[in-house]
């Protein structure tokens, strides 16, 4: 059996043709493919606006800039996420605080979060960056109620969750990133994600003012919009009105994204099928804890995370069989860089226990039946 990784991209001939068309066109960047990708993505997610950016990390940074995160501002995120969710706050001079995860969903425990806010002096925090870990949607309706009480903004890190939804109290399906309850939402198009553009990212929002600010900041803070120019010297004239960055995604990346997006919905279904097969195969292996999914939730399964006691042994056993699993994630507060801020083992017991036993199995839409059977057989063999 050839090697099987925990995730991988899928590039079709149509994807390649679309990129080649851009290479032969007049615009490699700042051309028509950017707007088309933004519009198609916003429509897929169900949000009003989308801003394409260079990657998910820059998307987070841009959100913090648009929300005016300043030195001294405190933002809460999950200890179980990719480091970028937290780092983006530090880029703006802000401070990151963490709150423990829920034992079942591995996303922020909203009861513990509320307790933390209750126990802190009013005005301690400015915002929250919840993470839809593995593709499990955070209940942002409940989170919004908490955020309103404490006057906090919400930037949902939905990198793992395009296509996932939860059902709100009005029985409406709320797709991750649609902006119904969060202020801003971000996505990544790194190759292992649902949509691959090489590097790439997107911010979605329903807030026009934030959208305009994101657009401005993503391109040096420069505008040619005659409605907001302070002066106008002629057709060439532009103004730099804010200190922005070059976080623009190129037309090549966007063309690939547009083409990938056409398969996104069907690929989430394939991921769910793969999850069903794992769940069925592991239901009698009591040493394996399979992912929890509430009845009113549709999981996007960016990752299929199991919990087992002998995690390292299983990881090594599978590696010897050419199956490359991964651990998502090492708690951010225990990274050496973050320990410098005073975080210690024991600060977030649920997150730390999760880390000791979590393992991400191969999960991607093109995983074949034979490959998945091989993975299942090897895992069953390990537990025999
Ligand atoms: C949860 C989460 N947030 C942020 C990022 C950062 O995205 P990118 O790698 O596109 O910068 C990632 C991707 O690795 C991620 O998984």
């Amino acid at each position: 059996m050839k090697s099987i990784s925990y995730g991988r991209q899928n590039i079709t001939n149509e994807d390649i043709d679309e990129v080649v068309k851009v290479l032969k066109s007049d615009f490699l960047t700042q051309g028509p493919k950017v707007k088309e990708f933004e519009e198609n993505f916003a429509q897929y997610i169900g949000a009003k606006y989308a801003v394409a950016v260079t990657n998910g990390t820059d998307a987070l940074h841009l959100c913090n800039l648009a929300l005016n995160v300043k030195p001294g501002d405190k933002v809460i995120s999950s200890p179980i996420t990719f480091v970028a969710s937290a780092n983006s706050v530090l880029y703006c001079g802000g401070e990151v605080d963490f709150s423990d995860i829920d034992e079942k969903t591995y996303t922020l425990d909203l009861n513990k979060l509320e307790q933390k806010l209750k126990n802190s002096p009013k005005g301690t925090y400015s915002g929250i960056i919840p993470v839809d870990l593995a593709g499990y949607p955070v209940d942002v309706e409940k989170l919004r109620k908490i955020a309103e009480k404490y006057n906090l903004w919400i930037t949902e890190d939905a990198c793992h969750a395009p296509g996932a939804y939860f059902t709100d109290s009005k029985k409406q399906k709320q797709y991750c990133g649609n902006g119904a309850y969060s202020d801003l939402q971000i996505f990544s198009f790194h190759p292992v994600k649902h949509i691959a553009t090489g590097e790439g990212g997107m911010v979605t929002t329903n807030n026009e003012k934030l959208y305009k600010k994101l657009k401005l900041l993503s391109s040096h803070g420069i505008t040619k919009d005659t409605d907001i120019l302070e002066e106008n010297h002629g057709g060439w004239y532009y103004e730099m009105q804010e200190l922005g960055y070059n976080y623009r995604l190129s037309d090549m990346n966007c063309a690939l994204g547009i083409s990938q997006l056409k398969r996104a919905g069907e690929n989430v279904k394939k991921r769910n099928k793969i999850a069903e097969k794992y769940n069925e195969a592991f239901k009698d292996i009591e040493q394996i804890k399979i992912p929890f999914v509430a009845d009113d939730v549709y999981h996007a399964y960016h990752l299929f995370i199991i919990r087992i006691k002998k995690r390292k042994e299983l990881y090594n056993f599978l590696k010897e069989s050419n199956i490359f699993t991964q651990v998502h994630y090492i708690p951010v507060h225990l990274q050496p860089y973050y320990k410098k801020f005073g975080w210690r083992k024991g600060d977030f017991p649920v997150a730390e226990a999760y880390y000791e036993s979590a393992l991400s199995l191969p999960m991607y839409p093109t995983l074949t039946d034979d490959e998945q059977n091989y993975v299942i057989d090897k895992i069953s063999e390990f537990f025999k």
Side-chain angles (χ1 to χ4, degrees):
M1 182 65 69
K2 70 176 176 27
S3 77
I4 304 172
S5 59
Y6 82 88
R8 64 170 288 123
Q9 74 273 21
N10 164 236
I11 304 293
T12 63
N13 285 334
E14 195 187 335
D15 291 342
I16 294 167
D17 290 345
E18 290 305 314
V19 177
V20 170
K21 273 189 218 158
V22 171
L23 288 169
K24 292 177 177 170
S25 79
D26 292 337
F27 295 97
L28 297 188
T29 190
Q30 293 179 277
K33 288 292 166 190
V34 181
K35 190 158 183 267
E36 189 182 334
F37 187 32
E38 288 175 341
E39 286 177 356
N40 292 5
F41 190 81
Q43 194 183 22
Y44 175 66
I45 292 297
K48 262 194 191 162
Y49 308 104
V51 180
V53 291
T54 28
N55 54 56
T57 306
D58 295 341
L60 284 158
H61 184 202
L62 206 58
C63 289
N64 291 331
L65 292 169
L67 292 162
N68 206 20
V69 174
K70 305 177 297 304
D73 283 1
K74 276 190 163 181
V75 175
I76 300 175
S77 191
S78 170
I80 298 298
T81 183
F82 183 57
V83 290
S85 319
N87 292 351
S88 67
V89 178
L90 306 187
Y91 296 160
C92 297
E95 285 175 42
V96 187
D97 199 346
F98 299 97
S99 190
D100 213 344
I101 59 164
D102 178 80
E103 176 60 45
K104 280 184 176 165
T105 65
Y106 313 144
T107 62
L108 277 177
D109 179 331
L110 299 188
N111 295 326
K112 280 193 185 150
L113 174 76
E114 181 147 30
Q115 207 53 47
K116 183 184 188 76
L117 292 164
K118 231 185 227 168
N119 294 340
S120 312
K122 222 175 156 207
T124 301
Y125 298 100
S126 53
I128 314 172
I129 304 180
V131 181
D132 301 318
L133 192 86
Y136 196 95
V138 169
D139 182 343
V140 276
E141 183 186 27
K142 192 170 169 193
L143 183 61
R144 167 55 73 190
K145 284 188 188 134
I146 299 171
E148 270 172 11
K149 239 199 237 174
Y150 295 91
N151 198 20
L152 308 170
W153 49 255
I154 304 170
T155 295
E156 184 178 354
D157 183 334
C159 282
H160 298 183
Y165 65 74
F166 76 101
T167 314
D168 71 8
S169 59
K170 296 176 206 95
K171 300 277 170 251
Q172 300 284 323
K173 286 177 186 170
Q174 299 292 353
Y175 281 85
C176 284
N178 73 359
Y181 296 103
S182 306
D183 298 289
L184 296 168
Q185 301 81 218
I186 70 105
F187 297 87
S188 161
F189 306 130
H190 179 273
V192 294
K193 301 292 196 295
H194 288 75
I195 295 156
T197 65
E199 295 286 352
M202 194 76 83
V203 185
T204 58
T205 185
N206 291 343
N207 181 320
E208 190 182 4
K209 212 168 140 199
L210 284 175
Y211 164 70
K212 286 186 172 163
K213 199 156 177 202
L214 291 164
K215 264 283 177 205
L216 190 69
L217 291 169
S218 70
S219 191
H220 307 280
I222 284 176
T223 184
K224 286 188 87 170
D225 182 349
T226 48
D227 288 344
I228 57 170
L229 288 178
E230 289 185 11
E231 298 174 26
N232 195 346
H233 304 173
W236 67 88
Y237 187 71
Y238 62 84
E239 281 176 0
M240 181 190 139
Q241 298 186 337
E242 299 264 359
L243 181 61
Y245 292 77
N246 180 353
Y247 283 168
R248 297 187 305 257
L249 193 61
S250 82
D251 279 55
M252 282 104 70
N253 298 93
C254 289
L256 183 52
I258 293 163
S259 189
Q260 291 257 313
L261 189 56
K262 291 181 192 157
R263 305 195 295 283
E266 139 203 350
N267 281 343
V268 180
K269 284 188 197 144
K270 285 186 186 163
R271 287 174 184 269
N272 271 270
K273 279 246 154 7
I274 292 167
E276 266 171 41
K277 185 164 165 175
Y278 275 138
N279 288 339
E280 180 61 27
F282 300 147
K283 73 176 191 302
D284 297 325
I285 307 179
E286 60 181 45
Q287 296 98 321
I288 300 179
K289 186 175 167 189
I290 56 171
F292 165 81
V293 189
D295 289 342
D296 58 354
V297 151
Y298 187 59
H299 202 306
Y301 286 113
H302 161 54
L303 302 169
F304 187 89
I305 300 172
I306 57 166
R307 306 269 305 267
I308 60 261
K309 282 212 176 87
K310 293 186 171 173
R311 194 261 311 273
K312 195 168 184 179
E313 289 85 343
L314 179 60
Y315 172 90
N316 287 332
F317 176 82
L318 293 174
K319 194 170 161 196
E320 277 162 27
S321 310
N322 251 352
I323 299 166
F324 296 90
T325 58
Q326 188 49 281
V327 175
H328 298 91
Y329 292 94
I330 302 161
V332 181
H333 68 288
L334 297 181
Q335 290 290 354
Y337 186 83
Y338 278 87
K339 283 209 277 194
K340 285 194 281 188
F341 298 107
W343 300 108
R344 290 287 169 268
K345 220 171 177 171
D347 286 340
F348 303 104
V350 182
E352 291 165 27
Y354 161 88
Y355 169 60
E356 293 303 322
S357 60
L359 192 67
S360 303
L361 302 185
M363 167 57 85
Y364 46 89
T366 52
L367 184 72
T368 65
D369 266 346
D370 281 352
E371 286 167 337
Q372 194 180 6
N373 290 339
Y374 177 68
V375 174
I376 290 169
D377 288 349
K378 283 289 161 193
I379 292 174
S380 306
E381 188 185 322
F382 177 83
F383 285 106
K384 256 189 200 137

